Amino acid sequence: MINGLLPGIQSTTAALDAERTRLEIVSQNIANANTTRGVDGKPYQRQQVVFENVLQNQIGGQSTPMIKVARIEKDERPSKLVYNPGHPDANKDGMVSMPDINIHEEMADMMVSSRAFEANLSVVRNARHMALQTLSIGKR
């Protein structure tokens, strides 16, 4: 019943979920920007979210475009070598293999994702407001 009152709410909900996942991955990248040894013994590998657009069939043959997370993949950029002979993971030449994560790039991704999240929240608020206005018309 509520889906009929709020058209497009499913696609907005899917977009909110996808952006939440993107924000989580970006925050993991920022948190691990200096992680030189992960569980596998290698430097942290930057991750990125790949979205896909899905057309979901609705009642009456109409389809609603939805976005969802297709997969989370590791960035193939090689780690960068930094001279730091005092680091516990330094090799015999004093070079440490660090994740190739650009904090500025991650912050830009976070801002874009945050803005997309806010835009989708606005859609939900406006749809709710319109549904409430529609219901109030019926009460008169």
Side-chain angles (χ1 to χ4, degrees):
M1 166 116 184
I2 193 86
N3 288 337
L5 286 175
L6 302 173
I9 196 71
Q10 288 180 332
S11 62
T12 303
T13 303
L16 284 169
D17 191 44
E19 291 300 334
R20 180 188 52 80
T21 302
R22 184 177 177 192
L23 282 170
E24 288 175 0
I25 294 301
V26 168
S27 64
Q28 285 179 18
N29 288 340
I30 292 172
N32 291 300
N34 293 319
T35 303
T36 57
R37 190 178 340 160
V39 180
D40 58 355
K42 297 178 181 175
Y44 177 79
Q45 193 79 27
R46 180 180 183 270
Q47 296 178 341
Q48 58 190 11
V49 176
V50 176
F51 295 116
E52 72 179 358
N53 194 10
V54 177
L55 290 177
Q56 184 179 23
N57 290 330
Q58 297 285 321
I59 297 173
Q62 297 177 347
S63 61
T64 304
M66 295 179 63
I67 191 162
K68 71 175 206 174
V69 174
R71 64 186 177 280
I72 298 169
E73 63 183 21
K74 292 189 175 187
D75 193 348
E76 297 300 325
R77 286 187 254 181
S79 58
K80 59 184 177 185
L81 292 175
V82 176
Y83 182 71
N84 188 357
H87 196 281
D89 292 330
N91 63 14
K92 63 179 170 79
D93 298 327
M95 302 300 282
V96 179
S97 188
M98 301 288 289
D100 190 13
I101 295 176
N102 184 337
I103 294 296
H104 303 290
E105 180 183 341
E106 298 300 326
M107 291 302 291
D109 282 351
M110 181 177 283
M111 289 172 53
V112 167
S113 185
S114 177
R115 297 288 184 249
F117 196 89
E118 289 173 3
N120 281 296
L121 278 179
S122 294
V123 169
V124 172
R125 280 191 214 112
N126 289 336
R128 181 181 175 272
H129 181 72
M130 288 190 317
L132 290 174
Q133 290 295 320
T134 303
L135 290 174
S136 70
I137 290 172
K139 290 180 181 176
R140 295 180 188 166

